Amino acid sequence: MNAREVAAVLEEIAMLGELTGENPFRVRAFAAAARTLEGTTADLDALARAGELTSLPGVGPAIAETIAELLAVGRSGQHERLRAEVPVGLHDLLRIPGLGTKRVRTLYAERGIDSLERLEAAARAGEVAALPGFGAKTQQKVLEGLGFVRASAGRRRYPQAMELAVHFLEWLRAHPAVAAAEIAGELRRRMETAASVDLVAASPDPAAAVDAFLALQGTGGAAERAGEGRASLRLRDGVRVNVRCVAPERFVAAVAWATGSAAHLDALAARAAERGLRWDADGLRHGGADVPLPDEAALYAALGLAYVPPELREGMGEVAAAAEGRIPRLVEPADLRGTFHCHTTWSDGKATVAEMAEAARGRGWRYLGIADHSRSAGYAGGLASTRVRAQHREIDAWNAAHGGAGEGRFRLFKGTEADILPDGALDYPDDVLAAFDYVVGSVHSSFGMPERAMTDRVLRAVANPRLTMLGHPTGRLLLTREGYSIDVRAVIDAAAEHGVAIEINADPHRLDLDWRWVRYAAERGVLVPVNPDAHSTRGLDNVAFGVNAARKGWLAAPQVLNTWELQAVEEHLAQRKQGGAPGADRPHP
Ligand SMILES: [Zn+2]
Ligand SMILES: [Zn+2]
């Protein structure tokens, strides 16, 4: 087990302990140790061998023993006892917004509610409102939350699902019966969350490869045969791992088929039928014979289509576009020249301004925008106006000392992530706002406003000439929290009108603006920067997830503000500050 896997078990011990009413100090100790391990770079195995696990912050002798056990045998007796004690369904209940462990415990202890179904029945019967610590409002929220939890049950965010996929992919590729293997499905289409991990393997003996997969031990789930050449593994938390094994000559078609989406495959099948071909799970055929497919481009070419990148295969007009040669050259991570939304130790970030700058330069970027929290964001160390001035002095000094000149110069921009206050005002007086190179405006409070009021709030901010770009425009947290109610179309239309950019917040928990809206925003001429919302130097790597979303939104590089060269960005920001409103229709430098 690696540190993160150990941390996940400790976290679960804390959660299960809370549900079973264990000593709260113990519970908190496990939770704290989990956080330590998540962030640690220490070599746990070495520490365990030396008996020095207690040198880690927050790790006492009892927890050290659990960690050592996990490292040695891959499981913990205490963890398994707790698991046996707590009904599986309580995990689902915990995912309902507003139901913490305390309330879930009450539901279970007082009413024996241990599943979403029982909870729904009790809430509909009005029994939940009567429980201590609940009430009619909570009961209503529970009912609303049920739909959200059902929709997200068994799904994982992209990075976690991808990590799993790579794990199984490596196993497949290393197996002697397997000639080639690829990731397909939602992950290959770079969906923000995935319900399943889909893999395709080529083997001269597909049945043997399936048998080997079914015999795979230590995956913590139940494997089953799912038809000829197919195996399916259900992991404990509901995620499915599907493997299809085919003969090598069928591999390309099988990968394309397993990549989907269903709507895209249907459109391809219709196209094939028009040309006297047949396209289905067995591949592309003409008469009774397979059309040989050396690669996916050959598949699309056989159908008279330009190649469609997996990200676009959502049944949203991509087949028609491919027929007319209108598939854009999609933005790539290497197109980025910098980024705008980052936090430092001035607010709630972990790295200093200088560390962030060097990390950005180390990625080959030419600029980095620092956007710490604004004064009302007390929870995140928001900056009072006087501290803004001090930070600006630091940034100016850094640019002067380290920015360099000419071709290779690097620039730190002075930005802010200003709260959009409930009345739609930006969280600094105008003279302070004017001192920034650019302003990101984000909603961080009063999420419960009705849609009309929330939309008006954001529209007022968008109409403010000091606003450069809108941050995480719906506030959603994938699989955790739905976004607030807001008329996204109206916000995009207003951003187009006022020349305000809308970020794709690339934090994999957010990916907000949703890619389903990105294409519309770009069509309206709105610039869409990909911003990492980095709170550490490593957080800068989030941009890769944001580029996935940008690609799913059909964006080419010029529509992504941070693919622009430094000088073009400087001109854009300067124009913006003078009330100009250049958009994506501006010629790309
Ligand atoms: Zn934010
Ligand atoms: Zn932020």
Side-chain angles (χ1 to χ4, degrees):
M1 275 195 170
N2 63 32
R4 265 206 302 165
E5 290 165 330
V6 172
V9 175
L10 297 185
E11 180 72 52
E12 199 175 317
I13 290 176
M15 191 258 292
L16 294 169
E18 214 173 332
L19 284 174
T20 51
E22 267 206 37
N23 177 339
F25 293 104
R26 249 180 86 77
V27 166
R28 252 172 281 157
F30 271 90
R35 279 195 299 278
T36 297
L37 290 197
E38 256 167 34
T40 193
T41 50
D43 180 345
L44 290 189
D45 290 305
L47 286 177
R49 275 194 303 276
E52 285 170 1
L53 284 167
T54 49
S55 68
L56 292 164
V59 175
I63 294 178
E65 207 172 292
T66 303
I67 297 174
E69 191 184 355
L70 286 167
L71 292 172
V73 295
R75 52 200 177 78
S76 132
Q78 183 185 16
H79 181 222
E80 288 178 356
R81 268 192 306 281
L82 281 165
R83 269 192 169 234
E85 210 173 307
V86 174
V88 183
L90 294 192
H91 293 245
D92 295 336
L93 300 192
L94 277 173
R95 303 186 51 228
I96 293 180
L99 284 190
T101 42
K102 213 170 139 197
R103 280 189 169 138
V104 168
R105 231 177 93 199
T106 305
L107 287 168
Y108 183 55
E110 303 264 325
R111 278 277 180 281
I113 292 171
D114 60 359
S115 68
L116 293 177
E117 290 69 30
R118 287 194 173 181
L119 178 63
E120 177 160 26
R124 295 218 181 279
E127 290 169 16
V128 170
L131 289 170
F134 283 76
K137 216 172 152 185
T138 307
Q139 176 169 283
Q140 187 53 36
K141 280 188 96 168
V142 162
L143 284 169
E144 285 163 16
L146 274 163
F148 175 71
V149 169
R150 287 222 171 88
S152 54
R155 300 192 75 87
R156 285 200 188 181
R157 283 179 290 273
Y158 178 86
Q160 287 79 37
M162 200 60 181
E163 192 178 301
L164 258 181
V166 168
H167 173 78
F168 284 104
L169 182 71
E170 283 172 356
W171 182 87
L172 278 170
R173 284 183 172 164
H175 197 278
V178 172
E182 289 294 347
I183 296 168
E186 292 170 301
L187 284 174
R188 183 154 179 253
R189 301 202 314 275
R190 311 288 170 110
M191 289 287 277
E192 64 276 25
T193 65
S196 61
V197 168
D198 297 278
L199 300 158
V200 180
S203 172
D205 185 356
V210 166
D211 287 342
F213 188 75
L214 288 171
L216 186 55
Q217 295 294 311
T219 51
E224 65 203 45
R225 213 172 283 278
E228 201 187 330
R230 292 173 196 271
S232 183
L233 188 72
R234 195 175 159 79
L235 301 182
R236 219 156 25 197
D237 59 359
V239 173
R240 261 192 189 285
V241 181
N242 301 314
V243 178
R244 185 173 178 209
C245 299
V246 296
E249 62 274 17
R250 297 232 151 140
F251 183 59
V252 169
V255 170
W257 187 264
T259 298
S261 65
H264 179 74
L265 298 177
D266 284 349
L268 291 185
R271 182 95 188 161
E274 283 168 24
R275 312 191 139 227
L277 298 164
R278 196 180 156 77
W279 164 245
D280 59 25
D282 292 325
L284 187 67
R285 275 164 300 158
H286 187 232
D290 281 343
V291 176
L293 298 174
D295 55 25
E296 272 189 348
L299 165 65
Y300 287 90
L303 300 175
L305 300 170
Y307 179 71
V308 178
E311 294 92 329
L312 300 190
R313 300 181 195 171
E314 299 293 348
M316 294 170 79
E318 69 277 7
V319 171
E324 294 161 17
R326 286 190 291 107
I327 297 289
R329 190 188 90 64
L330 299 176
V331 60
E332 291 173 16
D335 293 327
L336 301 187
R337 297 288 176 269
T339 193
F340 297 103
H341 180 170
C342 301
H343 299 272
T344 71
T345 46
W346 281 89
S347 66
D348 60 348
K350 290 197 181 73
T352 63
V353 166
E355 286 163 351
M356 292 298 281
E358 288 308 336
R361 182 139 69 180
R363 283 163 173 76
W365 293 346
R366 288 306 168 85
Y367 50 88
L368 184 73
I370 302 296
D372 276 308
H373 286 286
S374 61
R375 58 184 182 173
S376 291
Y379 58 92
L383 273 62
S385 301
T386 48
R387 295 190 67 226
V388 167
R389 281 187 277 277
Q391 187 189 45
H392 286 185
R393 282 194 294 276
E394 180 177 326
I395 291 176
D396 288 338
W398 191 93
N399 278 328
H402 307 286
E407 276 296 285
R409 86 194 153 95
F410 180 98
R411 176 165 171 185
L412 278 177
F413 286 114
K414 293 174 280 193
T416 177
E417 182 180 16
D419 273 29
I420 297 174
L421 301 174
D423 67 356
L426 296 172
D427 189 25
Y428 283 118
D430 196 63
D431 63 312
V432 178
L433 289 172
F436 293 104
D437 294 321
Y438 69 95
V439 175
V440 183
S442 304
V443 169
H444 287 127
S445 62
S446 307
F447 291 152
M449 286 167 86
E451 178 172 324
R452 186 67 255 167
M454 184 61 92
T455 305
D456 287 345
R457 171 185 185 179
V458 172
L459 290 182
R460 194 180 153 214
V462 167
N464 187 328
R466 294 290 177 212
L467 187 74
T468 319
M469 60 185 81
L470 195 57
H472 46 75
T474 74
R476 76 174 180 187
L477 292 176
L478 290 166
L479 305 185
T480 307
R481 179 176 85 199
E482 282 184 284
Y484 36 78
S485 308
I486 190 164
D487 182 344
V488 177
R489 183 182 296 270
V491 169
I492 291 172
D493 290 344
E497 182 190 337
H498 294 284
V500 168
I502 302 181
E503 77 172 9
I504 291 176
N505 188 297
D507 181 327
H509 295 80
R510 295 186 181 270
L511 294 171
D512 179 14
L513 187 65
D514 186 284
W515 60 266
R516 295 161 192 82
W517 281 110
V518 163
R519 194 167 158 200
Y520 176 69
E523 280 167 8
R524 293 301 319 269
V526 174
L527 282 166
V528 184
V530 170
N531 283 335
D533 203 349
H535 287 72
S536 64
T537 54
R538 226 176 34 185
L540 293 172
D541 293 334
N542 283 347
V543 291
F545 306 121
V547 170
N548 287 346
R551 290 171 65 85
K552 289 195 77 61
W554 292 57
L555 295 193
Q559 295 164 308
V560 177
L561 179 59
N562 49 318
T563 65
W564 294 16
E565 297 297 340
L566 173 55
Q567 195 184 337
V569 168
E570 284 174 329
E571 285 166 14
H572 173 80
L573 297 180
Q575 251 175 302
R576 182 70 210 152
K577 280 188 72 166
Q578 278 148 35
D585 49 349
R586 178 185 186 284
H588 181 51

